[in-house]
C-alpha cells in the first residue's frame, strides 16, 4: 500500500508539472504567434492569439493546432481602391498549421467578424458624406448638394447589402425629390456607393454585412487561409 501511495503521489506531481509546463509554453507560443500573424497587407495595430485545446505540447509536436482564436485591431484593407481601416476582426481558426517557431502559417478553415466604424466607412466611400447608424439595421447617410447657389443638406436611410461576395453596396431606400428636378439624382450621387473589399487574407471571403450600433459588421469565412507575411 505504501508503494502504491508513493506511485500515486509521484504521478500527481508529474501531472502537475506537465500541466504547468504546458500552460507556460502555450502562453509563450501565443505571444510569439501574435507577432507573425497577418490579417491584411499591413501589420495590425495589435494582435492577440488564444490557442485552444489541451494538451498543447502534443499538438505543437505535430506542428498542428486544433483551434486558435485571433483578435486583430486596426489593420488596413482596400475598398474600391481606397484604404479602409478595419477596426477589429475576430476569427476562429481550425486545423491550424504552424510554420517556423510558433508562427501560424495556415488554417484549414476560418470564420470571423470584421467591424468597420462608420467614420472609416465614410472615408472609404469616396463621397463627401457622413455615415451613422440609422436604427433597425439601416445606415443614416448625410450629404450636401449645391442647388441654385445654395448647399442643401439631406439625410437618407440606406440599406447595406453584400454583392458578388466581395462588394459592400449602400443604397438610399428613398430620396424625396421635393418637386425639384434632378434633386434625387444629386443626393444619390452623394449617398449611394459600392466598394469592393480587398486585402483580406488569401482564402478568406465576405459572406454577410450588417449595420449595427457599433459599426458595420462584416462576416467572413474561408478555407485554406494564409496567415503569414510575405
Amino acid at each position: 500500500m505504501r508503494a502504491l501511495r508513493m506511485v500515486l503521489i509521484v504521478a500527481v506531481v508529474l501531472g502537475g508539472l506537465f500541466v504547468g509546463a504546458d500552460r507556460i509554453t502555450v502562453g509563450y507560443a501565443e505571444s510569439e504567434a501574435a507577432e507573425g500573424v497577418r490579417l491584411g497587407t499591413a501589420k495590425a495595430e495589435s494582435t492577440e492569439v488564444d490557442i485552444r485545446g489541451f494538451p498543447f505540447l502534443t499538438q505543437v509536436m505535430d506542428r498542428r493546432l486544433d483551434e486558435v482564436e485571433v483578435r486583430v485591431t486596426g489593420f488596413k484593407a482596400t475598398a474600391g481602391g481606397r484604404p479602409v481601416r478595419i477596426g477589429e476582426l475576430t476569427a476562429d481558426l481550425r486545423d491550424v498549421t504552424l510554420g517556423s517557431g510558433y508562427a501560424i502559417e495556415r488554417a484549414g478553415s476560418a470564420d470571423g467578424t470584421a467591424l468597420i466604424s462608420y467614420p472609416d466607412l465614410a472615408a472609404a466611400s469616396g463621397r463627401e458624406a457622413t455615415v451613422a447608424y440609422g436604427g433597425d439595421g439601416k445606415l443614416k447617410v448625410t450629404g450636401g448638394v449645391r442647388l441654385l447657389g445654395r448647399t442643401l443638406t439631406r439625410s437618407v436611410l440606406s440599406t447595406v447589402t453584400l454583392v458578388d461576395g466581395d462588394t459592400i453596396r449602400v443604397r438610399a431606400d428613398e430620396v424625396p425629390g421635393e418637386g425639384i428636378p434632378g434633386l434625387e439624382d444629386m443626393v444619390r450621387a452623394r449617398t449611394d456607393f459600392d466598394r469592393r473589399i480587398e486585402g483580406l487574407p488569401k482564402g478568406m471571403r465576405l459572406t454577410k454585412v450588417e449595420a449595427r450600433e457599433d459599426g458595420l459588421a462584416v462576416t467572413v469565412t474561408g478555407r485554406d487561409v494564409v496567415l503569414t507575411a510575405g
Side-chain angles (χ1 to χ4, degrees), residues 36-101:
V37 170
R38 292 291 187 274
L39 287 179
T41 56
K43 186 174 177 62
E45 293 170 8
S46 67
T47 304
E48 297 176 12
V49 172
D50 181 13
I51 298 174
R52 309 283 178 79
F54 178 83
F56 167 72
L57 291 174
T58 57
Q59 295 183 66
V60 80
M61 288 177 64
D62 292 333
R63 310 305 293 166
R64 301 185 78 88
L65 305 178
D66 295 334
E67 185 178 358
V68 177
E69 182 182 82
V70 176
R71 180 176 178 269
V72 178
T73 57
F75 74 95
K76 296 293 181 64
T78 304
R82 293 175 174 270
V84 57
R85 180 181 182 274
I86 309 295
E88 177 180 301
L89 188 149
T90 302
D92 289 317
L93 315 177
R94 293 169 293 279
D95 188 20
V96 173
T97 302
L98 294 179
S100 61

Side-chain angles (χ1 to χ4, degrees), residues 63 97-106 228:
R63 310 305 293 166
T97 302
L98 294 179
S100 61
Y102 295 106
I104 296 176
E105 190 170 80
R106 290 177 179 269
T228 50

Side-chain angles (χ1 to χ4, degrees), residues 120-183:
D120 286 333
L121 180 62
S125 72
R127 302 290 191 260
E128 294 179 5
T130 60
V131 180
Y133 184 61
D136 197 26
K138 302 286 186 179
L139 299 179
K140 179 182 178 182
V141 186
T142 303
V145 297
R146 292 288 295 176
L147 187 66
L148 300 177
R150 298 172 55 198
T151 299
L152 303 179
T153 301
R154 292 293 182 268
S155 295
V156 296
L157 286 179
S158 300
T159 298
V160 57
T161 56
L162 181 64
V163 180
D164 297 330
D166 61 4
T167 300
I168 294 173
R169 172 168 290 173
V170 175
R171 291 288 184 274
D173 295 346
E174 182 180 0
V175 181
E178 304 172 29
I180 303 175
L183 179 60

